[in-house]
Amino acid sequence: MFLRVGRPARPAARPIVGRAASARFPGALLGSLALCALLPGTALAQSPAAPAADSIVRARAAAFGPASVQLIPGELVPQLPVDSIQEVLRLQPGASTDAEGRLVVRAGTADELATYVDGIPVSPGYRGLAAGDIAGRSAGTALQLGVNTLEELDLVTGLAPVRFGHGRGGLVSVVTRRGGEHWDGDLGYERDGVIGGASFGFTRLRGSFGGPLGRAFRFFAAGVLDGRQSAPSGFGAADAPIFVAAGRDTTVTVDGTSLDVARYVLARGDCEARAKSADAALAETLGIDCSTSRTPGTAGSDFQALARLDFVPSARTRVGLLVLASQDQAHRFDYATAFLPTDQFGRRVTSSVAALTWDQAIGRGLLQSYVSRQSDRATEAPFASVAGAGTMGFYLKPYDFRYTDFKVDAQAVADYRSGSQNAGPLPATAREDNQSWSSLRSGPYGTRNVFVDQGGPDGRLNLLHETRTLAGTSLTTATGRGGILVLGGELTHFRLTNLSQRTTSTEPSELYVGSPRQMALWAEQTVRRGGLTVATGLRYDVFDSRAERPVFVCTAARDLDDSPLADGHCGSAAVGDTIATTRIFTNPDFDPGDPGANVRPDARHTLLSPRVRLGYALGARTELLAAWGQQAQAPDFSLVFAGINTDQGRTTTGYVFGSDLDLARTRTTEVGLRQGLGRQARLAVTGWQRRDAGFATTRLVRLYDPARMADTDFRFYTDSGVVRTAKGVDVRLDQRFGRTALATLAYGYQKGETKSAMGAFGSIPAGELTLPLAYARPHTVAATLALLVPGTAQSRSSDGLFGTFYWASGTSYTLCDPDPVQSNESVLSGDPCVRGNFVGGLNAARLPAIKRLDLRLAKTVAFGGGDLTLYVDARNALNWRSVRRVFVTTGTTANPREEQLAIVADSFALAFEAQQAGVYQPDGSVDLRFGGAGANGCAGYLDARTGSPSARAAADCVLLSRAEARWGNGDGVFTWAEQRAAFAAQYRAFRGEQALTDAPRQFRVGMALRF
């Protein structure tokens, strides 16, 4: 990570500690906005890059009024040992992370956060909440911003002004950097694996530059490029060996049939043991590097870029052009198919934003307008040719995927709805590419039916593309006696296309094109009377999915034998009723000539949300806050459009269909205190309570099935009456120690639960059910430290020690009984029990707390005409072990019973095969010596299925011989102890602790040049 030590465009640049400690009170924000930008005759800017102009822009963007807002200076963020904006935000009170590591605020979920960049909403409509269901739908997308793009970062944990919407669980507001009066820039380089610790082949390049273009233009650009040769793995990776195929070991020929046997080389694990293998051939590296932490086949690369051009033709006008882009692509690692190049899958997520903004001072007011075009695309597909890791892990070029040229359009949807593509949306040629699967005892552990050696690609293809066209305007004007009136509105047009299908199967699959619309209008009046500030606002949200759902009209009810029903009903529906259905081309009313008939449009949903926010200054150091109001959010598109064109006849019974969903809503109440403690400390305490309604959950809905002519249970995403309530306390203490140190301490407490009537959770008995929130962490403690080494030059203000600390209670989960048939042994926390009783109740257990301390030590020296900063990062400096998931029958990251079951199953399979081949010994060992011929005698190895020699059986024999040498003493006798070592190693590779814990300590070194 590079360090930005200041910009020459700012005279007398402020030290980081002074900037960070100067937390502004809400009243001061409003006063600054009114006095600096809104009084009659006030110019918007004195010059294109005048400091006052930037102050106005920042004040305007961050003028949240009386609200629970955490203001984070852009100067501080690049100095911290963090990789993303999310890592900075989780250090704020009220913020934490869910079980997947995603940012959440005040017992909310990750999808409830709204993000604004320079006042423009950039959150997608497709958030991917349905990604975990049986259809395997694509996860959501989101724009990523580099930390070197920030002028200011704000997190509103409570009620924001009514102009901010699109989320009901917090607001992230980013103010991006602009070019200054002089050209300047910086370049940075960072990598791991130089001085010890875990290494994932991580490399980072960063840079930015900006300055004037003539009198009225200012330009700025910044970019971040990350490369990783391995995805991070947790603790114990060295004890979970993973191998790669490295060419041919040998070729076996039996009865004229030849078969190549692959050679396997250790890539992750105990590298010293590899060199000491009993078989010299197995000890060869063959050019394959060995690591204790890097997982092969998991390389990835991402970048974030920003460019902006500001035009200030006069003191009252600013026009800006902003372009943002990000990409994240990675190999999708599946060890079972790791040795089959034709079955390698990858994922690429790209996002872009192009926005034109216009700020115009008009009399006593300021008119802010924008037009923006945004795009989010997610692709999960098999590689056409397996992509490499790129130089230093960098891979900017988009991956070359198969089948991604399939055109998702209205014609494809019409064909799919008509059933003309009976096997699914993909063309038949794509399905013909997928060969039948065949498996032998391939792999380095000597086990059967684990690794795949033929066929593919087999997996889910997901093609998601969302575009948004946004336009908005807001007029802020000063009213009498220091008041402020804000009026505005915005309109968003969406275009959504999505394909999801398994490449070797058509059940389930989905294909749709959507064009939702969203609109909002708002008005807010802020009045100041002495120390009292009152902001009263009203927001009107409109959402229209513009979706059309299949229906069946009960016209002449008939029984299964096609005889009229005596009571004239279609199951529980009466003749003449229009019934929602999951049937399209299997609907008896389907007209092949008009596949778009027999549909019903979704309703148009509206919601009026009031907000009242109060601030009262009791003195120069004390201010009280209070707020009450409602926030709305449009439903996730993945829930609205799920299966909308999918006929029940081409899905499984576990498929979940979408439905017409209303706007979700949250009502929040909060009371807070801001208190100055001396001249260099500030304390903020806020108590809050929220009530959420409008949740879409999976629910069984009983409908008439016209194909079966009977009422049937179907699964839908629908509002099942779930109500979520939560309450908590946020505390933040900022302490400055002169001009050399700053410490920020944050604490958050939250308690939440969901309530639902009978029916929302399937077979739950009648009555109300109350559950603790599975993703809420009761306690969170975070801290930020900047300890500077005093220097005579401002550039030396980045010298010193910077650190972040994060500790949070574990999320809750449900313990399950270890049932007699072992159904629950493989279940991990976050997944439902397969059978048996819950232990202690639903969500009654809790994961261990997670904790992390990251440190950076930096030193800056003069270098030519600029400054060179050298630094060392220690991520997870104390090597704390943080658990992300556990087994639900043990409550730990280990399950000896599951491991023993796996070993026994592998041993029984080997014993049966060895008995058929005549090499099984009474003590359980397998004799592979063949009279001293060793693996060369495998040609006579008998196939357990046919009782005769075969090339496949000979290959199995060779691989068993290699496994004995790899996990034993190489004498050709595969003893029970050696078998257990091999089978246990395989189990750990798939189910070891490294997959359930966060990464261990990692050191990075870096340098940054400012010029």
Side-chain angles (χ1 to χ4, degrees), residues 641-653:
F641 289 94
I644 196 168
N645 298 313
T646 301
D647 192 285
Q648 183 68 53
R650 58 162 47 119
T651 67
T652 64
T653 57

Side-chain angles (χ1 to χ4, degrees), residues 96-101 107 748-751 773-780 806 808-811 846-850 883:
S96 60
T97 55
D98 62 11
E100 303 300 323
Y749 166 78
Q750 59 185 3
K751 180 180 180 181
L773 290 180
Y775 46 81
R777 301 183 185 275
H779 303 279
T780 303
Y806 179 75
S809 304
T811 54
R846 191 166 292 280
L847 292 173
I850 60 175
V883 175

Side-chain angles (χ1 to χ4, degrees), residues 191 239 335 343 474-475 479 618 661 705 707 742 771 870 989 999:
R191 64 166 299 180
D239 298 323
Y335 196 21
D343 195 52
S474 182
L475 175 64
T479 59
L618 295 178
L661 298 174
D705 186 347
L742 164 72
L771 295 175
L870 306 176

Side-chain angles (χ1 to χ4, degrees), residues 191-216:
R191 64 166 299 180
D192 71 358
V194 177
I195 56 174
S199 172
F200 306 113
F202 177 85
T203 306
R204 169 172 292 157
L205 295 176
R206 288 190 173 178
S208 69
F209 68 97
L213 292 173
R215 187 189 66 83

Side-chain angles (χ1 to χ4, degrees), residues 5 191 215 258-259 279 292 346 425 438 501 514 590 626 720 770 798 808 851 890 976:
V5 294
R191 64 166 299 180
R215 187 189 66 83
S258 298
L259 192 63
D279 189 325
T292 58
S438 177
Q501 180 186 328
F590 179 73
S720 57
T770 300
S798 59
K851 52 188 176 181
T890 65
W976 165 244

Side-chain angles (χ1 to χ4, degrees), residues 26 29 47 123 130 133 188 193 282 371 392 489 649 701 758 903 914 945 1010:
L29 281 172
S47 68
S123 301
D133 69 8
L282 298 178
V371 177
M392 297 187 294
V701 178
M758 183 273 297
I903 292 174
R945 295 164 292 186
R1010 179 185 177 276

Side-chain angles (χ1 to χ4, degrees), residues 852-876:
R852 184 180 177 98
L853 174 67
D854 297 329
L855 298 173
R856 165 173 292 182
L857 185 63
K859 175 63 179 176
T860 302
V861 297
F863 185 83
D867 297 307
L868 178 66
T869 299
L870 306 176
Y871 61 90
V872 177
D873 274 10
R875 305 296 175 97
N876 191 11

